[in-house]
Amino acid sequence: MTKIIINSQVSAEGQSEDLKALAKLMNNEPVKLNKHFDYAQRRIKEINEDPETREKIMLYETRMLEREQAAGKVAYAEGIEQGKIDSAKVILENQMENGRTLEQATEFVRNLKLISDKELEKVVAMYK
């Protein structure tokens, strides 16, 4: 999915007539450019005047917002998990730089319970 964000509140100077008209349309200003904008304005008016359709749109927008928030929470949780893995790598390296063997360093990190044993095995495999 591709998102295109248009800030219709800033000046559209230097932009195409279509883009200028789109900015006006987004700001609820009348547009007289071509049949496409005439159609869009007519449909916007029909939708705004139909309470059932407006309710469906509001419900859809709410669901989309909820989906985006849920995806953000998943990405946040994944970021935290990756941060823990990265921290475990740094701790493991520091332990080895301070004279510990790989096995001793691994046991030290395991006792911190920062990451699962399975993840720790993956990290340790990088140093073998």
Side-chain angles (χ1 to χ4, degrees):
M1 176 164 77
T2 302
K3 286 186 180 182
I4 298 175
I5 299 171
I6 299 173
N7 184 349
S8 66
Q9 300 299 313
V10 297
S11 172
E13 286 303 313
Q15 300 300 323
S16 69
E17 290 304 312
D18 284 342
L19 194 54
K20 287 178 187 178
L22 179 58
K24 283 184 177 181
L25 185 65
M26 291 171 65
N27 290 322
N28 218 15
E29 297 175 28
V31 177
K32 301 254 187 233
L33 184 64
N34 59 41
K35 65 181 180 178
H36 304 292
F37 285 98
D38 292 343
Y39 172 77
Q41 288 176 104
R42 190 170 53 254
R43 285 295 295 142
I44 290 169
K45 184 176 183 201
E46 290 169 5
I47 290 167
N48 285 336
E49 291 175 355
D50 181 6
E52 186 176 321
T53 304
R54 283 183 60 104
E55 187 175 323
K56 287 178 184 177
I57 290 172
M58 289 173 58
L59 180 61
Y60 172 78
E61 289 174 346
T62 301
R63 287 184 178 154
M64 291 300 294
L65 181 59
E66 288 170 351
R67 177 187 283 167
E68 286 179 19
Q69 289 172 343
K73 288 178 183 176
V74 168
Y76 177 74
E78 289 172 355
I80 288 175
E81 190 61 31
Q82 185 60 50
K84 289 179 180 181
I85 293 168
D86 293 343
S87 296
K89 288 177 188 177
V90 169
I91 294 168
L92 189 74
E93 289 172 3
N94 286 339
Q95 289 291 305
M96 290 188 302
E97 286 173 7
N98 288 323
R100 300 253 169 87
T101 65
L102 179 59
E103 291 75 24
Q104 290 169 328
T106 301
E107 191 59 30
F108 183 85
V109 173
R110 180 176 287 116
N111 290 335
L112 294 175
K113 298 187 186 304
L114 190 61
I115 59 175
S116 70
D117 286 346
K118 183 178 181 180
E119 287 297 330
L120 181 56
E121 288 174 18
K122 291 178 188 176
V123 170
V124 171
M126 295 170 32
Y127 297 94
K128 289 186 175 183

